[in-house]
Amino acid sequence: MLDLSRLTTETRNPQTMRLDELSTAEVLEIMNHEDQTVAQSVQKALPQITQAVDQIVKNFKQGGRLFYMGAGTSGRLGVLDAAECVPTFGTDPEMVQGLIAGDEKAMTVAVEGAEDSLTLGPADLKKRRLTDKDTVVGIAASGRTPYVIGGLDYAREMHAATISLACNADAEISQHAEIAIEVPVGPEVLTGSTRLKSGTAQKLVLNMLSTVSMIGIGKVYKNLMVDVKPTNAKLVERSKRIIMQATDADYETAATVFEKAHQNVKVAIVMILTGVDEAEAQKRLQEAHGFVRKTID
C-alpha cells in the first residue's frame, strides 16, 4: 500500500475540519489566511531558487533549453509557464517546454496511470533529444511522482542540469536532483487538494525561475519586457508603450521608429537612445548579446 501519511500535503488541516458547516464568508476568510503563508514558505527557499536560476541562465547561454516536468496540476503549471515565455519574452517555443504525464490530453483530462510510470518521463525527454546543455525541472507537490523521478534520473544520466520542486520537506524527488527546492506549505484547506496552496507555491516559484532567467539573458531592460512579440493589436500597442517608457519618446516617435525597426522593440529602443539606424542597432545588440543596457552604457 502506498503510504502518504508522512506527507504534510496529505494530512488534515485542523483549521478546516468543519468546512461544510461554515458560511461562505468564513471559508473564504480561512482560505485567504492559509494562502498568505505560501509566500513565506517560498521566501525560505530563495537560496535554492537562486542556485536554480543561475544554472538555467548558464545553460541558456550555451544554447540549452529548459524543460518542466510534472503530472496533474504540477504538469499543467509547467506547461502554462513555458507557453507564456513565447509572447512575454519572444522565445522560440523549443527554448522552454512543459512536459506533462499523459501528454496534451492530460491538460484537461486525467490520464490513468501516467504519473505512476518511471519510463514515460525518460521517453518524453528522449523525444526532445535532451542534451547536457539542457535543464530539467521536476515538479511534484507530493515530491514522490514516479513520472518526475524517472525523468530526473534520465536527465542526470545525460548530464543535463536537474532541479526538483516539491511542496513537502525531505521530498523523495530531492534525492534525484542536483538542486532541490522544497516549499512545505502544510496541510491544504481541502485535504489532499494540492491544486490549492501547493499549486500557488509552485506557480510562484515557476514565475521566479522563468522571469529571472530571462532577465539574465537580456530579455529585460529596466523593468520592461523588451523582447515582447507584437502578435496582436494589444501587443502592438504595448510594444509602442514600452518604447515610450524606455526612451521617454512621444507616441508618434515611438510608433514611427517601431515600424522602421520592423516592429522589433529592442531595435527601436536602441535606435532612439543612440541615434543610430536599424542596421547599426541590430549590430550593437548582437555584440551586446541582446542586452539593451550594454549598447548604451
Side-chain angles (χ1 to χ4, degrees):
M1 182 180 73
L2 184 60
D3 182 15
L4 302 179
S5 62
R6 70 178 186 84
L7 304 177
T8 57
T9 51
E10 296 292 332
T11 58
R12 298 182 71 186
N13 190 323
Q15 305 301 316
T16 62
M17 301 292 275
R18 297 172 48 248
L19 277 187
D20 58 334
E21 299 178 40
L22 301 177
S23 68
T24 299
E26 288 172 327
V27 175
L28 294 176
E29 185 71 29
I30 291 173
M31 290 187 72
N32 180 248
H33 178 267
E34 290 288 318
D35 285 343
Q36 290 177 43
T37 68
V38 176
Q40 297 169 5
S41 297
V42 172
Q43 183 180 35
K44 294 175 182 177
L46 287 179
Q48 292 74 37
I49 298 171
T50 300
Q51 285 183 288
V53 169
D54 288 343
Q55 182 63 63
I56 294 168
V57 170
K58 178 182 177 181
N59 283 8
F60 275 160
K61 288 182 176 180
Q62 298 179 64
R65 300 163 295 171
L66 171 61
F67 292 95
Y68 293 131
M69 297 191 72
T73 298
S74 299
R76 294 180 190 106
L77 288 170
V79 171
L80 172 64
D81 197 74
E84 291 290 354
C85 287
V86 177
T88 305
F89 300 109
T91 60
D92 186 287
E94 299 292 310
M95 184 175 177
V96 184
Q97 299 182 45
L99 307 181
I100 183 171
D103 292 324
E104 292 183 9
K105 180 182 177 182
M107 284 297 294
T108 55
V109 180
V111 177
E112 295 296 331
E115 73 172 70
D116 296 326
S117 171
L118 282 168
T119 60
L120 284 180
D124 285 347
L125 290 173
K126 287 175 183 177
K127 290 177 186 176
R128 274 76 180 180
R129 298 184 179 180
L130 188 74
T131 76
D132 58 3
K133 295 179 181 179
D134 297 327
T135 304
V136 176
V137 179
I139 313 165
S142 66
R144 54 150 303 279
T145 307
Y147 172 80
V148 175
I149 290 174
L152 288 172
D153 286 347
Y154 175 73
R156 294 181 75 175
E157 289 176 20
M158 298 300 293
H159 303 291
T162 52
I163 299 163
S164 63
L165 171 56
C167 294
N168 280 288
D170 302 317
E172 185 177 348
I173 62 169
S174 297
Q175 307 304 315
H176 297 262
E178 298 163 304
I179 301 171
I181 302 170
E182 294 182 346
V183 187
V185 296
E188 297 285 3
V189 170
L190 185 63
T191 306
S193 183
T194 51
R195 67 188 180 86
L196 300 176
K197 289 192 296 181
S198 295
T200 299
Q202 291 171 335
K203 182 66 169 70
L204 290 175
V205 174
L206 295 179
N207 285 349
M208 292 176 169
L209 294 182
S210 56
T211 303
V212 186
S213 295
M214 293 299 167
I215 294 171
I217 59 172
K219 296 288 187 180
V220 173
Y221 173 56
K222 297 185 177 180
N223 65 345
L224 301 170
M225 54 174 99
V226 291
D227 259 327
V228 63
K229 296 301 180 187
T231 55
N232 57 43
K234 180 188 75 173
L235 292 178
V236 166
E237 288 307 306
R238 178 179 290 169
S239 297
K240 295 174 185 176
R241 183 175 176 81
I242 288 171
I243 295 168
M244 292 169 65
Q245 293 169 326
T247 64
D248 291 328
D250 57 32
Y251 181 85
E252 184 177 346
T253 299
T256 299
V257 179
F258 179 56
E259 295 304 324
K260 287 182 179 179
H262 294 89
Q263 296 197 336
N264 185 308
V265 174
K266 267 186 177 177
V267 172
I269 290 172
V270 174
M271 289 173 67
I272 294 173
L273 290 179
T274 63
V276 300
D277 61 18
E278 181 196 5
E280 178 63 20
Q282 289 274 19
K283 178 184 175 184
R284 292 191 183 191
L285 279 167
Q286 186 173 9
E287 292 173 347
H289 303 289
F291 286 84
V292 171
R293 188 173 296 280
K294 292 181 180 180
T295 68
I296 59 177
D297 285 347

XYZ file of all heavy atoms in Angstrom, residues 170-257:
659
model
N 11.937 17.141 2.911
C 12.595 15.842 2.741
C 11.916 15.022 1.645
O 11.683 13.818 1.789
C 12.600 15.059 4.059
C 13.303 15.820 5.177
O 14.368 16.397 4.902
O 12.780 15.836 6.297
N 11.588 15.680 0.554
C 10.873 15.036 -0.545
C 11.751 14.009 -1.253
O 12.968 14.181 -1.372
C 10.406 16.082 -1.549
N 11.119 12.970 -1.732
C 11.857 11.913 -2.426
C 12.551 12.447 -3.675
O 13.692 12.078 -3.970
C 10.904 10.774 -2.796
C 11.597 9.573 -3.408
C 10.649 8.416 -3.692
O 9.493 8.453 -3.212
O 11.069 7.492 -4.415
N 11.877 13.321 -4.429
C 12.494 13.814 -5.666
C 13.729 14.664 -5.397
O 14.561 14.846 -6.275
C 11.508 14.599 -6.561
C 10.976 15.840 -5.861
C 10.397 13.733 -7.073
C 10.217 16.767 -6.799
N 13.852 15.173 -4.182
C 15.033 15.972 -3.843
C 16.310 15.148 -3.949
O 17.395 15.691 -4.180
C 14.907 16.537 -2.422
O 13.799 17.417 -2.319
N 16.171 13.841 -3.784
C 17.335 12.945 -3.876
C 17.707 12.649 -5.327
O 18.739 12.023 -5.583
C 17.028 11.627 -3.146
C 16.546 11.791 -1.724
C 17.512 12.596 -0.866
O 18.720 12.362 -0.909
N 16.985 13.549 -0.106
N 16.893 13.094 -6.251
C 17.117 12.776 -7.667
C 17.503 14.010 -8.484
O 17.503 13.955 -9.710
C 15.862 12.134 -8.257
C 15.503 10.825 -7.617
N 15.834 9.599 -8.164
C 14.850 10.554 -6.450
C 15.395 8.628 -7.376
N 14.795 9.177 -6.336
N 17.812 15.120 -7.794
C 18.166 16.352 -8.494
C 19.391 16.998 -7.856
O 19.646 16.843 -6.662
C 16.991 17.334 -8.462
N 20.134 17.729 -8.664
C 21.326 18.434 -8.159
C 20.928 19.616 -7.269
O 21.617 19.923 -6.296
C 22.148 18.931 -9.338
C 22.683 17.828 -10.234
C 23.134 18.353 -11.575
O 22.325 18.993 -12.280
O 24.297 18.108 -11.923
N 19.856 20.271 -7.643
C 19.363 21.405 -6.853
C 17.933 21.093 -6.431
O 17.067 20.861 -7.277
C 19.389 22.718 -7.667
C 20.817 23.031 -8.130
C 18.829 23.874 -6.842
C 20.901 24.178 -9.124
N 17.684 21.054 -5.121
C 16.363 20.690 -4.603
C 15.681 21.902 -3.985
O 16.195 22.502 -3.034
C 16.492 19.580 -3.564
N 14.542 22.262 -4.546
C 13.728 23.349 -3.997
C 12.550 22.715 -3.265
O 11.747 22.010 -3.871
C 13.206 24.282 -5.110
C 14.376 24.880 -5.901
C 12.338 25.382 -4.518
C 13.940 25.621 -7.159
N 12.452 22.965 -1.977
C 11.347 22.445 -1.184
C 10.585 23.606 -0.556
O 11.175 24.451 0.111
C 11.857 21.496 -0.096
C 12.485 20.229 -0.652
C 12.942 19.254 0.415
O 13.030 19.653 1.603
O 13.212 18.080 0.072
N 9.293 23.647 -0.804
C 8.435 24.712 -0.271
C 7.289 24.050 0.489
O 6.182 23.912 -0.044
C 7.886 25.605 -1.407
C 7.147 26.801 -0.823
C 9.009 26.069 -2.326
N 7.508 23.626 1.729
C 6.452 22.968 2.502
C 5.328 23.962 2.828
O 5.572 24.983 3.460
C 7.165 22.520 3.784
C 8.628 22.596 3.467
C 8.773 23.699 2.481
N 4.137 23.672 2.363
C 3.015 24.593 2.574
C 2.067 24.105 3.664
O 1.099 24.791 4.000
C 2.225 24.814 1.264
C 3.108 25.488 0.224
C 1.675 23.497 0.731
N 2.319 22.908 4.191
C 1.442 22.373 5.231
C 0.157 21.797 4.660
O -0.027 21.735 3.440
N -0.744 21.379 5.529
C -1.999 20.759 5.084
C -2.839 21.724 4.252
O -2.903 22.916 4.545
C -2.708 20.413 6.399
C -1.628 20.380 7.426
C -0.635 21.413 6.999
N -3.477 21.189 3.233
C -4.345 22.006 2.391
C -5.676 22.295 3.101
O -6.078 21.570 4.011
C -4.624 21.284 1.067
C -3.386 21.034 0.215
C -2.868 22.288 -0.485
O -3.435 23.385 -0.271
O -1.887 22.176 -1.230
N -6.332 23.358 2.683
C -7.653 23.690 3.239
C -8.608 22.525 3.008
O -9.369 22.120 3.893
C -8.202 24.981 2.585
C -9.668 25.192 2.957
C -7.358 26.182 3.019
N -8.575 21.986 1.806
C -9.348 20.797 1.448
C -8.342 19.650 1.377
O -7.457 19.650 0.535
C -10.041 20.994 0.103
C -10.983 19.888 -0.382
C -12.164 19.734 0.573
C -11.463 20.184 -1.788
N -8.456 18.705 2.276
C -7.433 17.687 2.471
C -6.974 17.027 1.168
O -7.782 16.475 0.418
C -7.942 16.597 3.433
O -8.380 17.217 4.638
C -6.829 15.597 3.751
N -5.676 17.119 0.899
C -5.083 16.476 -0.266
C -5.255 17.202 -1.579
O -4.749 16.747 -2.606
N -5.954 18.336 -1.577
C -6.192 19.056 -2.825
C -5.007 19.976 -3.108
O -5.028 21.174 -2.796
C -7.495 19.870 -2.732
O -7.770 20.505 -3.962
N -3.977 19.419 -3.709
C -2.736 20.162 -3.900
C -2.784 21.175 -5.041
O -1.776 21.793 -5.358
C -1.558 19.192 -4.122
O -1.897 18.263 -5.162
C -1.262 18.416 -2.849
N -3.953 21.353 -5.650
C -4.101 22.452 -6.612
C -4.239 23.782 -5.862
O -4.168 24.849 -6.478
C -5.351 22.243 -7.474
C -6.639 22.348 -6.689
C -7.867 21.959 -7.491
N -9.063 22.076 -6.690
C -9.764 23.203 -6.534
N -9.368 24.308 -7.145
N -10.843 23.233 -5.789
N -4.397 23.714 -4.530
C -4.599 24.920 -3.725
C -3.258 25.540 -3.315
O -2.578 26.112 -4.131
C -5.487 24.587 -2.526
C -6.888 24.058 -2.893
C -7.675 23.670 -1.644
C -7.665 25.091 -3.701
N -2.861 25.442 -2.048
C -1.623 26.085 -1.606
C -0.403 25.557 -2.343
O 0.502 26.325 -2.701
C -1.442 25.915 -0.094
C -2.409 26.731 0.740
C -2.009 26.766 2.211
C -2.049 25.393 2.855
N -1.693 25.439 4.293
N -0.367 24.260 -2.570
C 0.781 23.686 -3.289
C 0.874 24.260 -4.700
O 1.967 24.623 -5.169
C 0.665 22.162 -3.351
O 0.739 21.592 -2.069
N -0.270 24.336 -5.385
C -0.273 24.903 -6.727
C 0.162 26.359 -6.734
O 0.897 26.801 -7.625
N -0.279 27.097 -5.726
C 0.112 28.508 -5.614
C 1.613 28.621 -5.412
O 2.278 29.460 -6.040
C -0.632 29.174 -4.452
O -2.042 29.113 -4.698
C -0.225 30.635 -4.296
N 2.161 27.790 -4.538
C 3.607 27.813 -4.280
C 4.392 27.484 -5.546
O 5.383 28.148 -5.878
C 3.952 26.819 -3.174
N 3.941 26.474 -6.266
C 4.626 26.090 -7.493
C 4.585 27.212 -8.523
O 5.583 27.508 -9.178
C 3.994 24.822 -8.065
C 4.250 23.590 -7.214
C 3.432 22.391 -7.669
O 2.380 22.529 -8.288
N 3.911 21.198 -7.354
N 3.428 27.848 -8.648
C 3.299 28.956 -9.608
C 4.242 30.097 -9.240
O 4.903 30.678 -10.114
C 1.854 29.469 -9.626
C 1.601 30.591 -10.640
C 1.753 30.087 -12.064
C 1.251 31.077 -13.102
N 2.102 32.278 -13.221
N 4.357 30.413 -7.966
C 5.256 31.487 -7.527
C 6.704 31.155 -7.871
O 7.451 32.010 -8.364
C 5.118 31.712 -6.020
C 3.806 32.330 -5.533
C 3.767 32.374 -4.007
C 3.627 33.745 -6.089
N 7.103 29.920 -7.632
C 8.485 29.527 -7.911
C 8.748 29.507 -9.420
O 9.792 29.995 -9.888
C 8.814 28.157 -7.292
C 10.206 27.694 -7.722
C 8.729 28.225 -5.770
N 7.811 28.977 -10.191
C 7.990 28.949 -11.642
C 8.054 30.370 -12.215
O 8.829 30.634 -13.139
C 6.862 28.158 -12.309
C 6.807 26.662 -11.968
C 5.632 26.004 -12.676
C 8.109 25.969 -12.344
N 7.254 31.273 -11.663
C 7.341 32.681 -12.070
C 8.771 33.191 -11.904
O 9.307 33.907 -12.761
C 6.421 33.553 -11.202
C 4.960 33.412 -11.546
O 4.593 32.835 -12.557
N 4.106 33.936 -10.680
N 9.371 32.828 -10.769
C 10.736 33.272 -10.486
C 11.745 32.642 -11.434
O 12.615 33.326 -11.981
C 11.102 32.933 -9.036
C 10.341 33.721 -7.994
S 10.772 33.169 -6.317
C 9.994 34.469 -5.338
N 11.642 31.338 -11.625
C 12.608 30.642 -12.473
C 12.633 31.206 -13.887
O 13.706 31.490 -14.440
C 12.290 29.142 -12.516
C 12.441 28.351 -11.210
C 12.122 26.882 -11.457
C 13.836 28.494 -10.624
N 11.460 31.365 -14.480
C 11.420 31.840 -15.869
C 11.742 33.329 -15.969
O 12.583 33.738 -16.786
C 10.058 31.548 -16.502
O 9.004 32.114 -15.746
N 11.114 34.140 -15.149
C 11.297 35.593 -15.260
C 12.738 36.008 -14.992
O 13.348 36.760 -15.770
C 10.360 36.335 -14.292
O 9.009 35.969 -14.556
C 10.513 37.843 -14.432
N 13.313 35.519 -13.900
C 14.668 35.944 -13.545
C 15.701 35.352 -14.499
O 16.719 35.981 -14.800
C 14.978 35.595 -12.069
C 16.337 36.160 -11.662
C 13.899 36.152 -11.139
N 15.439 34.169 -15.016
C 16.331 33.596 -16.028
C 16.321 34.436 -17.297
O 17.371 34.656 -17.920
C 15.915 32.158 -16.352
O 16.086 31.316 -15.235
N 15.142 34.906 -17.678
C 15.053 35.729 -18.880
C 15.741 37.084 -18.681
O 16.356 37.628 -19.603
C 13.584 35.935 -19.277
C 12.897 34.660 -19.740
S 13.663 33.934 -21.203
C 12.906 32.309 -21.222
N 15.663 37.620 -17.472
C 16.420 38.839 -17.172
C 17.908 38.568 -17.369
O 18.644 39.394 -17.912
C 16.148 39.297 -15.724
C 14.693 39.741 -15.559
C 17.093 40.446 -15.333
C 14.277 40.004 -14.127
N 18.333 37.387 -16.942
C 19.745 37.018 -17.001
C 20.305 36.832 -18.393
O 21.526 36.804 -18.576
N 19.436 36.710 -19.396
C 19.933 36.566 -20.774
C 19.529 37.754 -21.650
O 19.534 37.659 -22.878
C 19.472 35.236 -21.412
C 17.947 35.131 -21.441
C 20.086 34.056 -20.676
C 17.446 33.926 -22.244
N 19.176 38.870 -21.006
C 18.966 40.105 -21.752
C 17.577 40.330 -22.312
O 17.393 41.176 -23.194
N 16.590 39.620 -21.797
C 15.224 39.771 -22.305
C 14.475 40.941 -21.661
O 13.311 41.191 -21.994
C 14.436 38.478 -22.051
C 14.961 37.263 -22.797
C 14.659 37.340 -24.269
C 15.030 36.066 -25.003
N 14.727 36.153 -26.447
N 15.144 41.633 -20.737
C 14.505 42.725 -19.998
C 15.428 43.938 -19.980
O 16.641 43.807 -19.815
C 14.190 42.288 -18.544
C 13.684 43.463 -17.712
C 13.172 41.156 -18.533
N 14.846 45.128 -20.157
C 15.574 46.386 -19.988
C 14.834 47.184 -18.938
O 13.640 47.438 -19.075
C 15.647 47.148 -21.307
C 16.245 48.536 -21.184
C 17.514 48.722 -20.643
C 15.534 49.654 -21.608
C 18.059 49.982 -20.519
C 16.072 50.928 -21.512
C 17.339 51.093 -20.960
O 17.887 52.348 -20.834
N 15.540 47.571 -17.892
C 14.903 48.165 -16.712
C 13.873 47.161 -16.197
O 14.248 46.062 -15.815
C 14.312 49.533 -17.043
C 15.394 50.541 -17.462
C 14.844 51.932 -17.669
C 15.974 52.914 -18.002
N 15.483 54.288 -18.218
N 12.602 47.510 -16.184
C 11.584 46.506 -15.811
C 10.595 46.294 -16.953
O 9.423 46.017 -16.750
C 10.848 46.917 -14.530
C 10.038 48.194 -14.700
O 10.223 48.929 -15.677
N 9.156 48.467 -13.761
N 11.123 46.396 -18.172
C 10.285 46.314 -19.366
C 10.577 45.043 -20.159
O 11.740 44.645 -20.320
C 10.536 47.540 -20.255
C 10.248 48.899 -19.592
C 10.760 50.027 -20.467
C 8.761 49.061 -19.319
N 9.531 44.412 -20.680
C 9.680 43.178 -21.468
C 9.988 43.531 -22.920
O 9.119 43.483 -23.795
C 8.443 42.289 -21.330
C 7.127 42.944 -21.646
S 5.756 41.757 -21.632
C 5.065 42.048 -20.014
N 11.239 43.857 -23.180
C 11.618 44.438 -24.469
C 11.731 43.419 -25.599
O 11.983 43.794 -26.749
C 12.945 45.219 -24.338
C 12.735 46.474 -23.505
C 14.036 44.349 -23.724
N 11.552 42.150 -25.303
C 11.542 41.149 -26.371
C 10.125 40.659 -26.668
O 9.943 39.626 -27.318
C 12.427 39.951 -26.006
C 13.773 40.005 -26.705
O 13.816 40.517 -27.836
O 14.776 39.550 -26.131
N 9.122 41.397 -26.200
C 7.735 41.031 -26.460
C 7.495 40.968 -27.966
O 8.041 41.760 -28.731
C 6.762 42.043 -25.797
C 6.930 43.438 -26.382
C 5.317 41.579 -25.923
N 6.697 40.002 -28.386
C 6.382 39.862 -29.806
C 4.997 40.449 -30.085
O 4.002 40.014 -29.497
C 6.417 38.381 -30.221
C 7.791 37.742 -30.106
C 8.826 38.453 -30.971
C 10.197 37.807 -30.854
N 11.245 38.571 -31.544
N 4.890 41.422 -30.978
C 3.616 42.098 -31.267
C 2.726 41.253 -32.173
O 2.547 41.557 -33.355
C 4.046 43.398 -31.942
C 5.332 43.047 -32.628
C 6.010 42.050 -31.727
N 2.147 40.208 -31.633
C 1.375 39.254 -32.439
C -0.102 39.591 -32.546
O -0.839 38.910 -33.259
C 1.535 37.838 -31.861
O 1.166 37.859 -30.478
C 2.976 37.353 -31.997
N -0.549 40.617 -31.835
C -1.939 41.057 -31.970
C -2.011 42.555 -31.693
O -0.999 43.190 -31.350
C -2.875 40.270 -31.031
C -2.469 40.379 -29.566
O -2.129 41.467 -29.085
N -2.504 39.270 -28.844
N -3.195 43.135 -31.867
C -3.356 44.582 -31.734
C -2.950 45.087 -30.352
O -2.306 46.140 -30.216
C -4.803 44.964 -32.032
N -3.328 44.330 -29.321
C -2.978 44.748 -27.959
C -1.468 44.797 -27.768
O -0.924 45.750 -27.200
C -3.593 43.782 -26.947
C -3.277 44.139 -25.497
C -3.725 43.058 -24.526
C -2.784 41.866 -24.571
N -3.083 40.860 -23.521
N -0.774 43.769 -28.291
C 0.669 43.704 -28.109
C 1.411 44.724 -28.982
O 2.502 45.170 -28.620
C 1.169 42.288 -28.390
C 0.711 41.231 -27.379
C 1.211 39.847 -27.774
C 1.205 41.577 -25.966
N 0.807 45.110 -30.091
C 1.397 46.181 -30.901
C 1.393 47.474 -30.105
O 2.398 48.199 -30.042
C 0.635 46.359 -32.232
C 1.028 47.682 -32.903
C 0.915 45.189 -33.161
N 0.271 47.777 -29.485
C 0.176 48.995 -28.673
C 1.057 48.905 -27.434
O 1.666 49.885 -27.019
C -1.280 49.258 -28.282
C -2.148 49.728 -29.429
C -1.549 50.937 -30.144
O -1.246 51.946 -29.468
O -1.367 50.872 -31.367
N 1.139 47.715 -26.836
C 2.027 47.552 -25.676
C 3.476 47.779 -26.098
O 4.261 48.387 -25.364
C 1.876 46.159 -25.073
C 2.824 45.904 -23.888
C 2.629 44.519 -23.309
N 1.349 44.408 -22.624
C 0.831 43.256 -22.202
N 1.494 42.117 -22.408
N -0.330 43.236 -21.581
N 3.827 47.311 -27.288
C 5.190 47.487 -27.793
C 5.543 48.970 -27.910
O 6.631 49.406 -27.509
C 5.344 46.805 -29.147
O 5.159 45.407 -29.030
N 4.626 49.740 -28.453
C 4.866 51.184 -28.597
C 4.988 51.843 -27.230
O 5.834 52.717 -27.017
C 3.727 51.817 -29.397
C 3.635 51.325 -30.834
C 2.394 51.871 -31.520
C 2.220 51.279 -32.918
N 0.954 51.740 -33.562
N 4.166 51.402 -26.315
C 4.206 51.956 -24.955
C 5.541 51.632 -24.285
O 6.117 52.468 -23.589
C 3.038 51.411 -24.133
C 2.941 51.971 -22.734
C 1.678 51.459 -22.039
N 1.605 51.908 -20.665
C 1.184 53.091 -20.274
N 0.788 53.962 -21.189
N 1.150 53.420 -19.000
N 6.038 50.415 -24.496
C 7.327 50.026 -23.926
C 8.436 50.909 -24.485
O 9.323 51.369 -23.744
C 7.614 48.537 -24.218
C 6.700 47.649 -23.364
C 9.078 48.200 -23.955
C 6.753 46.177 -23.729
N 8.386 51.166 -25.786
C 9.386 52.040 -26.411
C 9.327 53.432 -25.789
O 10.370 54.034 -25.476
C 9.172 52.108 -27.930
C 9.414 50.730 -28.555
C 10.092 53.154 -28.564
C 8.950 50.614 -29.997
N 8.118 53.946 -25.585
C 7.953 55.270 -24.966
C 8.530 55.283 -23.549
O 9.240 56.220 -23.153
C 6.469 55.633 -24.926
C 5.839 55.882 -26.286
S 4.016 55.998 -26.193
C 3.827 57.486 -25.198
N 8.239 54.239 -22.779
C 8.697 54.184 -21.399
C 10.207 54.028 -21.298
O 10.840 54.546 -20.374
C 8.001 53.029 -20.678
C 6.502 53.242 -20.491
C 5.786 51.987 -20.025
O 6.157 50.869 -20.396
N 4.757 52.166 -19.216
N 10.794 53.320 -22.257
C 12.235 53.076 -22.216
C 13.052 54.278 -22.679
O 14.215 54.432 -22.297
C 12.581 51.871 -23.080
N 12.436 55.123 -23.514
C 13.200 56.203 -24.150
C 12.689 57.612 -23.851
O 13.331 58.586 -24.238
C 13.177 56.020 -25.673
O 11.819 56.158 -26.141
C 13.705 54.644 -26.077
N 11.517 57.702 -23.219
C 10.852 59.000 -22.984
C 10.411 59.655 -24.291
O 10.189 60.871 -24.354
C 11.754 59.968 -22.204
C 11.960 59.524 -20.765
O 11.038 58.911 -20.188
O 13.043 59.778 -20.210
N 10.293 58.866 -25.348
C 9.815 59.403 -26.623
C 8.302 59.572 -26.585
O 7.612 58.933 -25.786
C 10.195 58.451 -27.754
N 7.770 60.435 -27.452
C 6.329 60.586 -27.530
C 5.750 59.452 -28.381
O 6.492 58.683 -29.000
C 5.928 61.955 -28.100
C 6.517 62.235 -29.484
O 6.708 61.267 -30.265
O 6.800 63.401 -29.785
N 4.437 59.371 -28.413
C 3.789 58.250 -29.096
C 4.121 58.235 -30.587
O 4.422 57.168 -31.145
C 2.269 58.326 -28.917
C 1.531 57.174 -29.579
C 1.352 55.961 -28.916
C 1.028 57.292 -30.873
C 0.696 54.890 -29.521
C 0.366 56.236 -31.493
C 0.204 55.042 -30.809
O -0.442 53.991 -31.415
N 4.078 59.387 -31.216
C 4.316 59.443 -32.665
C 5.722 58.951 -33.002
O 5.919 58.179 -33.949
C 4.120 60.876 -33.171
C 4.263 61.000 -34.687
C 3.996 62.407 -35.182
O 3.456 63.220 -34.412
O 4.322 62.670 -36.360
N 6.708 59.384 -32.224
C 8.090 58.958 -32.466
C 8.234 57.460 -32.246
O 8.846 56.753 -33.063
C 9.052 59.712 -31.525
O 8.951 61.113 -31.775
C 10.489 59.240 -31.738
N 7.667 56.977 -31.144
C 7.753 55.549 -30.834
C 7.129 54.716 -31.946
O 7.707 53.706 -32.381
C 7.065 55.262 -29.503
N 5.967 55.148 -32.428
C 5.269 54.401 -33.471
C 6.053 54.402 -34.775
O 6.156 53.383 -35.473
C 3.880 54.990 -33.692
N 6.636 55.552 -35.120
C 7.398 55.669 -36.369
C 8.648 54.790 -36.348
O 8.919 54.035 -37.297
C 7.809 57.136 -36.608
O 6.624 57.945 -36.716
C 8.635 57.267 -37.877
N 9.408 54.880 -35.260
C 10.646 54.098 -35.165
C 10.338 52.606 -35.038
O 11.075 51.759 -35.545
C 11.509 54.587 -33.989
C 12.794 53.763 -33.874
C 11.854 56.060 -34.157
